[in-house]
């Protein structure tokens, strides 16, 4: 056997919605694009949820809301520009869910920021920028979610987007790996604190989910190298990660909290 995997044979078929989130309201950050956040917003809508999207790009957020509204109908999608490093903008995003839907049930903290720099050459600004968005931004949105879910008193779900780099070492990724490992630890601690209120907090840890933005900011050589390490010989589609987020957001995962689920075909 050659050990070479035919990526076409491992390709998955898109899964139709089954009403797993009927009647729920979800807030999804960094959702105005073709990556995991955008795929999650779409999958949630296909599963019957109402969705409030936030993204740092105001124009793209507006375009995303318009496109999804045209496809899924008026009143089911709202959005606003949201930089998760800004407390006022985070509040405005959650206020939008309250105003249009009377509250929220699910929060997906997808916003994150990467970069490549060897630790010895990394500047304080590079470190602070990645940690500020990826870890502190997740903390800020998780805090907002737990406060509102606790006040509503009907339970709820938080799903954080971590990364397999929270477990694995990769040169040039010390800031991103530290941030994602922090997201995993934050998830575990938040889960214990939120459990008495009936709120579950979990995370996904994707390896590589290929989308146009990732291709723009990552060299082709590195993408090829990372993809070759995957057991299936291909990157995940963003919607394949979104499917796992749907699982963590619905009743099928009712006894799971504080967990980080690897979405990868590669062993550590």
């Amino acid at each position: 056997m050659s050990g070479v995997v035919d990526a076409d044979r491992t390709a998955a078929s898109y899964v139709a919605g089954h009403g797993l989130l009927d009647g729920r309201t979800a807030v999804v950050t960094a959702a105005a694009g073709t990556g995991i956040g955008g795929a999650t917003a779409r999958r949630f809508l296909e599963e019957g949820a109402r969705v409030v999207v936030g993204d740092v790009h105001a124009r793209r957020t507006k375009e995303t809301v318009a496109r999804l509204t045209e496809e899924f109908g008026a009143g089911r999608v709202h959005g606003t520009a949201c930089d998760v490093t800004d407390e006022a903008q985070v509040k405005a995003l959650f206020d939008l869910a309250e105003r249009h839907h009377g509250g929220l049930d699910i929060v997906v903290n997808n916003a994150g920021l990467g970069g490549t720099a060897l630790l010895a050459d990394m500047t304080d600004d590079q470190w602070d920028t990645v940690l500020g968005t990826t870890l502190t931004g997740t903390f800020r949105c998780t805090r907002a979610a737990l406060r509102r879910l606790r006040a509503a008193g009907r339970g709820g779900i938080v799903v954080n987007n971590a990364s397999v780099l929270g477990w694995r070492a990769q040169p040039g990724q010390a800031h991103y790996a530290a941030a994602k490992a922090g997201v995993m630890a934050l998830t575990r601690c938040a889960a214990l604190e939120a459990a008495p209120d009936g709120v579950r907090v979990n995370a996904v840890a994707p390896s590589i989910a290929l989308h146009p933005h990732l291709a723009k900011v990552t060299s082709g050589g590195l993408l090829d190298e990372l993809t070759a390490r995957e057991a299936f010989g291909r990157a995940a589609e963003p919607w394949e990660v979104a499917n796992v987020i749907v699982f963590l957001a619905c009743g099928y995962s009712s006894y799971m909290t504080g967990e980080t689920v690897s979405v990868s075909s590669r062993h550590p």
Side-chain angles (χ1 to χ4, degrees):
M1 294 179 64
S2 68
V4 176
V5 177
D6 183 347
D8 289 337
R9 292 185 65 186
T10 71
S13 298
Y14 197 83
V15 180
H18 290 79
L20 296 176
L21 303 175
D22 277 349
R24 302 293 186 89
T25 296
V27 170
V28 184
T29 65
T34 57
I36 293 170
T40 299
R42 174 173 292 278
R43 291 297 292 122
F44 276 27
L45 286 162
E46 290 168 345
E47 293 293 350
R50 299 175 294 265
V51 176
V52 176
V53 299
D55 197 284
V56 71
H57 300 284
R59 177 184 57 80
R60 280 171 36 188
T61 302
K62 185 176 180 179
E63 290 171 351
T64 296
V65 170
R67 183 170 61 253
L68 292 176
T69 296
E70 182 177 358
E71 186 171 350
F72 292 97
R76 290 190 59 194
V77 189
H78 297 88
T80 185
C82 180
D83 180 345
V84 298
T85 68
D86 186 322
E87 175 65 20
Q89 292 188 40
V90 170
K91 181 178 183 301
L93 177 65
F94 283 80
D95 284 348
L96 196 62
E98 298 274 359
R99 185 161 64 252
H100 287 288
H101 303 300
L104 56 99
D105 304 288
I106 304 162
V107 174
V108 179
N109 292 316
N110 174 67
L113 187 65
T116 301
L118 295 176
L119 188 59
D121 303 322
M122 190 178 295
T123 66
D124 284 4
D125 282 345
Q126 287 174 308
W127 176 271
D128 291 341
T129 297
V130 170
L131 269 289
T133 297
T134 306
L135 179 55
T136 307
T138 300
F139 148 73
R140 189 172 287 113
C141 291
T142 300
R143 179 178 63 187
L146 295 185
R147 286 174 174 174
R148 295 186 187 229
L149 292 172
R150 181 175 58 192
R154 59 175 185 263
I157 308 290
V158 177
V159 183
N160 296 323
N161 193 354
S163 167
V164 293
L165 289 188
W167 293 310
R168 303 173 187 166
Q170 184 172 310
Q173 295 295 311
H175 46 1
Y176 186 72
K180 290 301 190 179
V183 169
M184 293 176 177
L186 173 68
T187 297
R188 292 191 294 270
C189 293
L192 289 181
E193 295 181 13
D197 297 311
V199 176
R200 298 191 293 110
V201 186
N202 291 293
V204 294
S207 53
I208 178 171
L210 193 58
H211 53 87
H213 178 69
L214 179 63
K216 288 181 182 178
V217 300
T218 308
S219 71
L222 179 58
L223 286 176
D224 290 342
E225 178 187 345
L226 294 174
T227 300
R229 295 177 186 173
E230 295 292 315
F232 290 149
R234 66 174 179 87
E237 297 290 342
W239 59 263
E240 292 181 291
V241 180
N243 283 346
V244 181
I245 295 174
V246 169
F247 165 71
L248 292 174
C250 79
Y252 284 132
S253 59
S254 60
Y255 199 66
M256 289 179 64
T257 197
E259 296 294 335
T260 297
V261 180
S262 174
V263 190
S264 171
S265 64
R266 172 191 170 197
H267 293 292

